[in-house]
Amino acid sequence: KGDGCYAYTGRNWELDRRKTWRKPGYRQTGQDPVVCVSWKDAKAFVTWLSRRTGQDYRLLSEAEWEYVALAGSGADAACRDGFVHTAPVGRFRANAFGLHDMHGNVWEWLEDCWHKNYQGAPNNGRAWTTGGTCGVRAVRGGSWTNEGKDLEVANRGSNTLDVRDYDIGFRVARTMVR
C-alpha cells in the first residue's frame, strides 16, 4: 500500500492534483497496477520496501525486463483485452516464467539511463547507469494506449525522472543472493 511509503519518504506523490496514483483520471478496481508515479517515486518505493522488509528490492534493468518478457518464447503481445484502461493485475495467463502483464497494461520504469542503442551496454544483465542521458530513464512494455508494434518486446520508450503519467507504472525485482 502506498500510504506507508508516502509517510516514510515524504515525497509529494500528488503534485498534479488532476492525476495521482490514487486517482489517475479513470476508474480502477483496486486491483489495477499503480500508475501516475515518476521514476523518482518508484525508486523511493523500492528503497522503502527494502528497508521495511530487510530484503533488497529494486527496479529491473532493461536487459532483465526483456529477458523475463520473452520468457523463452520470443512472443509479442496483442492488446485486445476488453478493458478501456488498465486491466486488473494478474487477470490474464502468466508467461512461462510466471509473470503477468509484461505487455500492454502499463509502461514500466527501469533502472537504466536512456541510451539510443545498446553499443557499450553491460553484457551481464545489470542496469546501464553511466553515460547516455541519466536525467531520462528507459520504460518498457507499452501500455493500454498502445497497439501493434508498440507492444513488441523490443519496443523501448523513455521519460524524464519526474514524469507521472496515467500509463506509466513499475515492477519490482528482489535481488537473490546465492
Side-chain angles (χ1 to χ4, degrees), residues 61-167:
S61 72
E62 196 167 356
E64 288 173 320
W65 187 94
E66 189 165 322
Y67 179 78
V68 298
L70 285 169
S73 70
D76 291 313
C79 192
R80 291 186 184 93
D81 60 15
F83 290 90
V84 176
H85 298 102
T86 57
V89 173
R91 172 74 177 233
F92 302 100
R93 188 171 53 95
N95 70 15
F97 290 159
L99 298 172
H100 294 268
D101 310 318
M102 294 299 298
H103 306 275
N105 211 8
V106 298
W107 286 98
E108 297 178 6
W109 286 113
L110 301 171
E111 187 66 34
D112 300 67
C113 297
W114 178 249
H115 295 82
K116 291 181 182 180
N117 58 50
Y118 295 119
Q119 292 177 344
N123 61 4
N124 58 6
R126 291 200 171 126
W128 196 2
T129 58
T130 59
T133 308
C134 289
V136 175
R137 296 295 170 135
V139 293
R140 296 289 290 267
S143 79
W144 54 269
T145 66
N146 301 118
E147 57 186 52
K149 286 196 157 292
D150 290 336
L151 297 177
E152 290 180 359
V153 171
N155 188 46
R156 308 168 66 222
S158 64
N159 264 302
T160 59
L161 305 177
D162 288 315
V163 165
R164 291 181 174 124
D165 212 344
Y166 55 82
D167 66 344

